[in-house]
Amino acid sequence: MAVKKVRMSAEGYKNLEKELEYLVTVRRAEVAQKLKEARSFGDLSENAEYDEAKNEQAILESRIQEMEATIANALVVDESELSNDEVGVGSYVTLKDLELDEEMTLQIVGSTEADPENNKISEDAPIGIAALKKKVGDVIEVEAPVGIIKMEIMAIGK
């Protein structure tokens, strides 16, 4: 079975590495301490603190494994290779909603970095899919719950 490479920006990759290091060095120690304290309360069969600490440990270890797999399969996008001529992962794109006559600037990012509240849209999201490989002046159609939204690409930047 082929492993899917996950595209991400250099910044996203560094943030993921930083978060993983924190989880491995700090959070693991904190959870281990909680387990140790919970064990000291005696009978483990009726020890809610112990059960809670074990659940927290399982969730933490699962997150660590997930992050390690993402890092191992990351394809870091070299921002120096980004073009201002064509939308790619890492590009900043200014789009104009042709119906509402409103502009917005978004960054197209890898799926693991998506953060719509901060205008970081996944390459796998409807806008990302529609915008990839398009040029300034192109009109894209984005399927949304309200119907098809037509947007013109006004600018592409790094």
Side-chain angles (χ1 to χ4, degrees):
M1 183 171 92
V3 176
K4 183 181 183 237
K5 291 290 185 181
V6 180
R7 291 195 284 189
M8 62 177 49
S9 67
E11 177 188 357
Y13 186 82
K14 282 182 200 154
N15 289 341
L16 199 59
E17 282 186 319
K18 236 191 274 182
E19 184 182 350
L20 177 61
E21 183 180 343
Y22 169 77
L23 293 179
V24 169
T25 58
V26 177
R27 287 293 298 142
R28 256 189 189 156
E30 290 173 354
V31 172
Q33 184 59 36
K34 280 185 185 178
L35 273 169
K36 184 178 176 185
E37 287 173 19
R39 267 192 223 107
S40 71
F41 297 144
D43 185 5
L44 298 182
S45 65
E46 295 178 14
N47 188 330
E49 288 87 356
Y50 181 76
D51 289 342
E52 187 179 319
K54 286 298 283 181
N55 286 339
E56 189 175 346
Q57 181 184 42
I59 291 167
L60 174 65
E61 292 305 322
S62 174
R63 177 72 180 135
I64 288 171
Q65 283 183 339
E66 179 185 308
M67 292 175 77
E68 287 173 339
T70 300
I71 287 171
N73 296 302
L75 257 175
V76 179
V77 176
D78 184 350
E79 292 181 23
S80 69
E81 293 177 12
L82 286 178
S83 165
N84 286 334
D85 299 329
E86 185 178 89
V87 177
V89 173
S91 295
Y92 287 87
V93 184
T94 302
L95 300 167
K96 181 178 183 178
D97 183 316
L98 296 177
E99 189 178 320
L100 300 176
D101 196 34
E102 292 177 352
E103 286 190 8
M104 66 178 123
T105 300
L106 308 169
Q107 183 181 21
I108 307 298
V109 296
S111 58
T112 60
E113 299 176 83
D115 183 1
E117 288 180 15
N118 290 306
N119 297 325
K120 292 183 177 201
I121 304 299
S122 169
E123 65 180 320
D124 299 324
I127 291 177
I129 292 168
L132 282 177
K133 302 204 182 295
K134 300 295 189 286
K135 298 176 180 350
V136 172
D138 286 352
V139 174
I140 61 173
E141 293 185 356
V142 179
E143 214 174 304
V146 296
I148 301 289
I149 300 171
K150 290 186 178 187
M151 299 177 165
E152 182 178 350
I153 297 178
M154 305 303 289
I156 301 169
K158 298 181 191 184

